[in-house]
Amino acid sequence: MREDPTEMSEDDDRTTDLAGGGTIVVEASSNKTRSCGGNGGGGVGVGTIADYCPSPYPDQVLENVLENVLLFLTSRRDRNSASLVCKSWYRAEALTRTDLFIGNCYAVSPRRAIERFKRVKSLVLKGKPRFADFSLVPPNWGAQFFPWVSAMAAAYPWLEKIYLKRVSVTDEDLILLAHSFPAFKELVLVCCDGFGTAGLAAVARCRQLRVLDLIDDEVNEDDVDWISCFPESVTCLESLIFDCVESPVNFDALERLVARSPSLKRLKLNRHVNLMQLHRLMVRAPQLTHLGTGSFSTSDNPAQADQEPDLSAFATSKSLVCLSGFRDIVPDYLPAIYPVCARLTSLNFSYANINAEQLRPVICQCYNLQTLWVLDSVCDEGLQAVAATCKELHELRVFPMDAREDGEAAVSEVGLLAISEGCRKLRSILYFCQQMTNAAVVAMSRNCPELVVFRLCIMGRHRPDHLTGEPMDEGFGAIVMNCKKLTRLAVSGLLSDKAFSYIGEYGKLIRTLSVAFAGDSDMGLTYVLKGCPKLQKLEIRDSPFGNLALLSGLHHYYSMRFLWMSTCKLTLEGCKEVARRMPYLVVEVIGDTDEGDIDDSIDKLYMYRSLEGPRADAPSFVTIL
């Protein structure tokens, strides 16, 4: 799974009291949803607080001042702080929110959210745990969109924007959405499933649609020509992303759509669009800034197989700053993108199987690059070329060609060390490898102290420093000691409890921690739960943590968004004890079958805070304690 680059930032969560008890993840976020252009028409005016409820203030001037001040607060942190000042501010803040962020769809019901927030125009809703991306959450676990869209259809007819992540969406949901919100403008679906092209056709008919982004979704093929359903007149479309759609699209209809969309800036194509078709689209839309190339090869049509594609559109483009796609790549065509390399700030080669020699002529011209995603097929030599040129690099992701634990080692500590020495402005890194050394990780902590995200995934289980044979404790310890702004950390390899003691002692800003195949005993997790006050999301798999570790975090669970533990050493009694002592925490035990009985040994545990208590739609393989 390749996440969209716009999703790299950490959620800035703050809990807020709702209806006099418990905590909730319902927050304002004007910058979390994509904003494409101005406010447009068809929405609902802001109004005043007095329009919604009797004024609680004797002084009307004070009321108006408060409302206007709160309208300037756009961050969730500021809004949540304002809502805690007093009851009057609590009410006023709720009535001036237009952007609603819900980090867990089961943390609050649609009814409760609607009762508090009366004039929402934008919704961000997240569903399944992140480990669903790795098939660790069984199918049909939940996170349905229907309860939300049906409630919002009645409460927010002026709704304009929806962003969903890991939510199950049906065609009927999308049809209801399209029919219920006449001013609807933006739909972003990330890692969602359950819908098909029939639902997309309904959304395409929304006359004010500006954004339709499908990112890493599973889209059902039902032979509906959804591209032809966009309005025949000039459209408002600014972003169209469908690279995850596996079925072919009507290219003639797509070409006509692009031609009548003068505001289109982002276009990402699926693998059924070849290079010759890409050229035609680029000629129609010279204003594009973000382009996903689809298949970077010629047509599969035998009649066109011998035709060389016209790639001159890259040479005439003056606006491209972001390139991705490159599926089914023919490296011989890569020189076509040379004319735009100097302007690129983002380059995604995560589907391009190219080696260091093929990468080097491209990357040596990308001296303004800030974001780079590549496969490890570029090897250490390719990363050395990146380090020599890309001095402005902020984010690097290196994905594995072969994700097996015993796969071939393509990149190593050599590439990581080169990046740390050459890319001193790095703020985020995801690095898959088969071997690593403490020295290389320590060097990165010293050379790149501005790191906010550090995710090192050593794919083999319990791999030590391959030169010294020592655990990787000192490397990860250096990261949390020297990178003072670190908020997200993923650890792997052979780690003792000492590494976790470093995290607990120095990781005071860490909000998301992912642990795989690491740790000695319960003390490791105890160090983290007692030492990381900002921790919001904790994901653990295949680690030796048991009941004592779990119970050590009772003081902290109400302030966290969730805890996931799979294939650890938990027992049913330990999980029941947490549920007994924390009644506002939902404790789910997830099995792999539909049988209701659970063994004393727990395979998967998912815990999250909720104002609603246990959910009503839990499948038979989920037991809520």
Side-chain angles (χ1 to χ4, degrees), residues 58-71:
D59 187 345
Q60 187 68 36
V61 174
L62 181 60
E63 174 187 334
N64 293 337
V65 169
L66 175 59
E67 178 183 356
N68 283 284
V69 168
L70 291 177
L71 288 174

Side-chain angles (χ1 to χ4, degrees), residues 247-262:
S247 56
V249 296
N250 182 336
F251 179 76
D252 290 335
L254 175 63
E255 187 175 20
R256 292 193 300 270
L257 172 63
V258 170
R260 64 180 188 273
S261 302

Side-chain angles (χ1 to χ4, degrees), residues 101 327 369 555 624:
F101 173 88
R327 297 169 185 261
L369 207 61
H555 67 288
I624 299 179

